Amino acid sequence: MTTTERAANAEASKLPRVIRRTSAGFPVRKIGNDYRDVGLAPDALIPGNPMIAQLFCGISMFFPPGERFMIAAAKSVQDRIEDPQLRAEIDMFVRQEAQHATEHSRANKYLAGLVGLDNATICREINALWQYIGRHGSARQRAGFTAATEHFTGFIAEVILADIEFIDSIPESKAKQMLVWHGIEECEHKAVVFDAYKEIGGSEIERIAIMAAYTGPVFIAALLPAFRLIAAHGQLSNLAGWRTGLSTIARRWTVPMVKGYLQYYRPGFHPNHSPTRHLEQYWRTKLQIVDDGQRTNA
């Protein structure tokens, strides 16, 4: 085995590891991969299903601008929170989201570059949504939009992590590892900013109104990078690929995702009404996350 091959194998074996644990109910983890194992084929991540593969890649490109918005939104209300446990969890939420933004940005530069796209341009396009909310929303409303976003990512993560058969069908790769790692952490911190929003005076009417106004724009913003990738891969006219992708969504995810979305409109809704600890523990074990359980501020 050459030095290059040994280095590649070592990089491929890198596992998520806990880098910070406090009194909060979840830690901060880091991976630090480079994602150069992703092939050029449009279905490299999910063989035989190029549309779903590129949907996941496109959503990856949507994440970093939104994660940076949510970090700023959470920080802007942290000093108004009286509950010390919730303040500690906001700090860990911020740190988890920072790791997500870093990891996805590293992957996105490579994924975009594979097909001649500029990741920075895509980020600027997506960031227009967050900039508009930032300019026109109060600190409380920005927290409300963050809570709504966390509901989206929380129920989508729950549906995907519950589809063990689908995840197991994906070949092992750094991208698959990132998908599972990110899904675990979205489930872990899904209630943090929601609780902060309620504590600083967010009303039921405003909470529901934010989700209703936000759904269309965020749906479009999340899908645009996927369509750009599909076009760049020359797959827009791949009718068989579209049939396979749409069938996957319809058969596996549409019903539970619609149910998850609509939960937010219930009076008295709380993210923890949908428990996910069993899924988090299952995938933490399967992912072999390096965690000694010790408290650390490293």
Side-chain angles (χ1 to χ4, degrees):
M1 181 180 292
T2 67
T3 302
T4 301
E5 288 171 333
R6 282 194 296 270
N9 285 346
E11 184 68 19
S13 66
K14 189 177 291 185
L15 298 171
R17 62 195 184 280
V18 171
I19 60 170
R20 187 179 182 90
R21 183 183 291 280
T22 66
S23 62
F26 51 88
V28 179
R29 308 176 185 89
K30 180 178 181 178
I31 302 180
N33 282 323
D34 65 13
Y35 304 98
R36 286 179 292 181
D37 64 339
V38 177
L40 179 59
D43 65 345
L45 294 178
I46 307 175
N49 208 332
M51 303 312 172
I52 298 300
Q54 295 311 308
L55 174 63
F56 283 147
C57 291
I59 292 175
S60 176
M61 292 182 177
F62 170 77
F63 279 140
E67 284 158 343
R68 294 183 183 108
F69 169 88
M70 293 190 291
I71 288 169
K75 284 182 174 180
S76 73
V77 300
Q78 190 171 14
D79 289 345
R80 297 166 60 183
I81 302 300
E82 296 182 1
D83 180 1
Q85 181 65 22
L86 183 53
R87 285 202 305 271
E89 292 190 346
I90 290 173
D91 179 66
M92 298 299 268
F93 167 85
V94 165
R95 294 174 186 275
Q96 278 195 343
E97 291 294 348
Q99 289 297 326
H100 298 170
T102 298
E103 201 72 21
H104 280 282
S105 293
R106 188 181 302 113
N108 295 345
K109 289 177 184 177
Y110 181 71
L111 292 170
L114 278 176
V115 288
L117 296 178
D118 178 31
N119 181 60
T121 299
I122 295 173
C123 285
R124 284 194 296 271
E125 293 170 354
I126 296 167
N127 206 37
L129 171 65
W130 307 113
Q131 289 175 337
Y132 181 86
I133 296 170
R135 286 196 303 269
H136 297 282
S138 65
R140 187 191 69 244
Q141 289 166 340
R142 292 194 296 273
F145 278 99
T146 299
T149 305
E150 284 298 307
H151 180 63
F152 272 112
T153 56
F155 77 72
I156 291 171
E158 178 181 356
V159 170
I160 298 299
L161 292 181
D163 194 348
I164 295 172
E165 180 185 36
F166 172 76
I167 296 178
D168 283 347
S169 73
I170 302 174
E172 295 302 320
S173 67
K174 297 170 192 172
K176 176 181 176 177
Q177 182 189 60
M178 180 171 65
L179 169 70
V180 175
W181 162 73
H182 194 162
I184 292 168
E185 296 196 348
E186 289 304 322
C187 290
E188 287 177 336
H189 70 222
K190 63 185 178 182
V192 172
V193 180
F194 183 96
D195 289 341
Y197 171 70
K198 299 296 285 186
E199 184 164 322
I200 64 174
S203 69
E204 286 287 275
I205 292 174
E206 182 182 63
R207 173 180 71 78
I208 292 170
I210 284 173
M211 177 61 89
Y214 175 59
T215 296
V218 77
F219 190 76
I220 293 169
L223 289 182
L224 279 175
F227 278 101
R228 292 192 65 175
L229 285 168
I230 290 168
H233 277 284
Q235 295 295 299
L236 283 177
S237 60
N238 181 356
L239 298 182
W242 282 110
R243 281 195 298 272
T244 301
L246 293 173
S247 175
T248 299
I249 293 170
R251 288 185 299 104
R252 310 189 78 100
W253 305 327
T254 296
V255 171
M257 284 191 182
V258 169
K259 287 181 178 178
Y261 169 73
L262 291 176
Q263 285 179 353
Y264 205 78
Y265 292 93
R266 292 180 185 169
F269 165 81
H270 190 275
N272 288 338
H273 289 165
S274 182
T276 53
R277 289 191 177 181
H278 62 295
L279 291 173
E280 296 162 28
Q281 184 56 50
Y282 175 85
W283 287 110
R284 280 195 295 262
T285 301
K286 194 157 187 178
L287 202 58
Q288 298 179 302
I289 291 174
V290 180
D291 182 1
D292 60 11
Q294 299 298 310
R295 183 165 171 166
T296 175
N297 292 323

